[in-house]
Structure formats: structure tokens, C-alpha cells
Amino acid sequence: MIRKNIKIIALCALVILTVCVALILRTLRHESTYETSFFAMDTFMSVKATGHNPKASVEAVRDAIMALDNDLSVTNPESIVYRLNETGACVADDDLIFLLNKSAEARELSNGAFNISVYPIMKEWGFTGNEFKVPEEAVLNDLCKALSVAEISYTNSGEPVKLSEGTMIDFGGIAKGYASKIAGDIFAGHKIKSALINLGGNVYAIGKKPDGSLWNVAVNSPDETHKYLGILSLSDKAVITSGGYERYFEKEGVIYHHIIDPSTGYPARSGAQSVTIVSDDPTLADALSTALFVMGLDGAAELWRSNSALFDFIFYDDKGNLFITEGVKDVFSSDIAFEVIQK
Ligand code: AMP
Ligand code: MG
């Protein structure tokens, strides 16, 4: 008993000592923490970093995300994407090429569940101007046919991007992930090793907390029953969630949400309430969160089994069941019972 107590006291002392050493080192290195919040991409964002002169890096991140928002907006007549959709052509920049490549990768991985060319369908449902309506089935069928032959041709930055007749694109399902990636690049350029990027609940945890421990990231809950679905303890990972609850309208008692199944033209009814992706790659994580929401649990599990090095997921279904993949089982804790999906 006495030995057990001594062990506990020694352990506590070690933890306190580690934290003190981390704090002393931080002071000696002239490190401090800076945090800012702002509104972009239709959501509240907060970015914080610890290191030498973190203010400059955090402000550079904020400015970059605001600029990206302007470039990618489908409604701002000044944006590159707006111009591309209106005229069918524009000159590519690095952001556009990266996003087109990553979107193509996600489309291929998900067998078409992720498709940036769903934009005409989003528009038809009124998700663009918030003038919601349930389109005629025949109109959706025609739009799905057009989507199946939509083409985006491009080569490199500085060269033209061209859309086939009737094609329009929207990076809404991937833009926040890419914004996180850009933030990560800026922090790396400023030699910031500890930062937390929270873009409306989509989190990219860089390095570890300033005291050297892992970041604790809450997984968003889509319903009122739970404040959050669980906590992930991790470093250098993006945690990105998609859910129908994030944007929807109700008509005659039916809920219509903003994640479209490209094979039907209707909001995906895959049995998902929310899907969270955990990955080293924030851009891919964002695209896959949307894709897996469309694919449903079986499709998500199948995709994960052949790509488990790329991502893990947390799937909350519409009956309140929680599933997580094997790769996050040791870093996820929850009050809710969950099933672990094995390879
Ligand atoms: P997220 O919250 O990341 O799942 O993104 C949802 C947004 O992605 C929507 O508001 C649309 O702008 C866009 N979107 C909807 N359905 C799809 C889809 N099947 N593939 C790609 N983007 C989509
Ligand atoms: Mg997404």
C-alpha cells in the first residue's frame, strides 16, 4: 500500500516536473502563445500558435484563409471560381491546381461519391442563395446525367482551366481542409511547432500542446443527446466532420440537407448522421468526410480497409450507433458505447 502511494507520488512529481521544464524552456526560448478568431467560409474560425513571435504567423494564417475564401467563393463575382463557373474558363493558380488534383483523387477513391461538379444540383436545391426548394425529379435526373459527363480540363498553374458545357464546380466540401493545410504550411514556414487550427469545428492539431502533451480534440455531435461524441488525443492530425445537421431546410416535414449523392441528385440518405475523418492530410480528410457521408457505413468501411494508411473515421448513424476504425481505438475515448471496425 505504502509502495503504491510512493509510486503515485513519484509519478505526479514527474508529471509536474515535465510541465515545469517545458514552461521554463518555453520562457528561455522567448516563446509565447497568440490566438485570434475571425469569420470566413461561412463559419467562425480560431487559430492559435505557440512559439517565437506567434502573432505574425497567426495573422498570416488569418489573411491567407480570408484570401482563399475570396478566391473560392461560388457567389462572389470577384472570385476565380465564380468566373470559372460563369465563363467556363480561367487561368489556373497554384491553389486551384492543388484543389482540382485533390478533388480528382477523392472522387476516384470514393468511386464518385465526392464530386465538385455537383454544384448545378446544389444550386437547383437553392443551397447557394438560401432560396430552398425541392426540385422536380425529372430536373434532377437531367442534372445527374449532365454530371456523369461533366469534364474539367487543366494542366498546370498559369495555364487555362476549362469546364465542359453546363459544368460548374464548388469546393465547399474540401475548402476548409485545404485552408487547414495552407495554415499548416504557413506555421511550418514560421517554424511554429505547436498550433491548433479550428475552422468551425474542423480541427487541425499541429505538433503537441505547449506543455508537450497531446491535443485533446472533441468530435462534434450532430444531436442534442450528446455534447460531443468523444475525445481524440493526438498530434499532427486533422479531425474533420461532415453532417447533414450543418446545413438543411425542412419542407412538409422532410429534412433536406446539403450533402448531395451525385448518383441520385438528392441529399444523401446513407444512414449517416455525421462522419468524422482523422488523417495526416487535412484536404483529403475534408473531401473524404463528405464522401463517406454519401457512401454510408458499409461503403466507408470498405474504402477504409483498402486505404487505412490514409485515414481513420468515426461514423455516427441515424439510430445513434457509433462506429470507429481500428486505427483510432487507442486514442479515442467516449461515454457512448462504440463498435470498432477491424481490417
Ligand atoms: P462538408 O461539410 O465538408 O461535407 O461539405 C458540404 C459541402 O460540399 C456542401 O455544402 C456543398 O458545397 C459541397 N457538396 C455537397 N455534396 C457534395 C458531393 N457529393 N461532393 C462534393 N462536394 C459536395
Ligand atoms: Mg468535407
Side-chain angles (χ1 to χ4, degrees):
M1 184 66 182
I2 294 175
R3 271 176 77 160
K4 197 176 166 200
N5 281 344
I6 290 175
K7 261 190 187 167
I8 292 171
I9 292 167
L11 201 68
C12 290
L14 193 69
V15 171
I16 293 168
L17 192 70
T18 314
V19 172
C20 288
V21 169
L23 288 175
I24 291 166
L25 283 177
R26 197 182 137 184
T27 315
L28 288 176
R29 284 194 221 113
H30 302 287
E31 287 187 347
S32 57
T33 300
Y34 185 80
E35 180 166 10
T36 194
S37 305
F38 54 98
F39 191 82
M41 298 182 172
D42 284 331
T43 192
F44 280 101
M45 304 190 162
S46 72
V47 177
K48 77 171 168 191
T50 299
H52 183 64
N53 192 10
K55 186 168 187 265
S57 61
V58 168
E59 288 183 347
V61 165
R62 182 200 55 206
D63 294 349
I65 293 178
M66 304 281 251
L68 196 64
D69 190 11
N70 281 334
D71 281 348
L72 302 183
S73 162
V74 281
T75 50
N76 174 3
E78 307 291 313
S79 91
I80 296 178
V81 171
Y82 185 93
R83 225 176 317 135
L84 179 59
N85 283 340
E86 285 302 304
T87 64
C90 74
V91 175
D93 64 9
D94 291 348
D95 292 329
L96 198 54
I97 294 294
F98 187 95
L99 280 165
L100 288 170
N101 282 335
K102 218 30 130 178
S103 299
E105 183 187 339
R107 180 180 169 181
E108 186 137 342
L109 269 174
S110 67
N111 205 7
F114 184 82
N115 190 334
I116 53 171
S117 305
V118 292
Y119 184 55
I121 300 177
M122 290 295 292
K123 259 182 111 170
E124 192 60 35
W125 283 93
F127 280 109
T128 309
N130 285 343
E131 286 163 3
F132 305 119
K133 68 162 198 260
V134 180
E136 304 267 325
E137 199 171 338
V139 174
L140 289 178
N141 286 342
D142 286 349
L143 287 171
C144 283
K145 265 189 217 136
L147 174 62
S148 65
V149 293
E151 269 179 39
I152 310 167
S153 45
Y154 63 97
T155 50
N156 299 311
S157 190
E159 301 290 326
V161 177
K162 287 190 183 138
L163 303 181
S164 60
E165 182 70 31
T167 303
M168 288 183 166
I169 61 166
D170 167 22
F171 291 116
I174 192 171
K176 287 193 202 104
Y178 181 58
S180 302
K181 181 227 179 273
I182 291 289
D185 292 349
I186 291 174
F187 283 134
H190 282 75
K191 304 211 170 9
I192 295 283
K193 296 205 174 68
S194 169
L196 198 70
I197 299 151
N198 187 338
L199 311 185
N202 296 307
V203 173
Y204 186 24
I206 295 177
K208 291 187 179 152
K209 286 204 278 191
D211 68 6
S213 60
L214 295 171
W215 293 105
N216 292 318
V217 178
V219 178
N220 290 348
S221 168
D223 62 28
E224 316 269 283
T225 336
H226 312 286
K227 212 163 140 213
Y228 43 79
L229 296 181
I231 303 279
L232 287 157
S233 299
L234 33 76
S235 72
D236 289 316
K237 294 272 183 211
V239 179
I240 299 203
T241 300
S242 282
Y245 65 97
E246 287 174 334
R247 211 153 158 239
Y248 62 88
F249 68 94
E250 194 175 336
K251 188 94 194 269
E252 288 163 12
V254 182
I255 302 264
Y256 298 96
H257 62 71
H258 69 137
I259 301 177
I260 303 293
D261 182 342
S263 67
T264 64
Y266 283 85
R269 301 247 181 264
S270 66
Q273 263 199 88
S274 76
V275 180
T276 300
I277 303 288
V278 182
S279 172
D280 298 345
D281 179 342
T283 324
L284 187 68
D286 193 357
L288 289 182
S289 69
T290 310
L292 268 58
F293 187 95
V294 172
M295 295 165 81
L297 184 63
D298 291 346
E302 195 182 322
L303 180 63
W304 171 77
R305 285 194 180 100
S306 39
N307 296 279
S308 58
L310 284 183
F311 71 97
D312 277 284
F313 71 78
I314 295 163
F315 192 105
Y316 190 55
D317 78 9
D318 53 11
K319 296 183 187 70
N321 302 310
L322 186 61
F323 303 86
I324 71 166
T325 50
E326 214 180 346
V328 283
K329 97 172 182 302
D330 294 334
V331 296
F332 181 72
S333 55
S334 177
D335 293 341
I336 311 169
F338 55 84
E339 190 178 308
V340 178
I341 298 173
Q342 317 273 353
K343 273 194 213 144

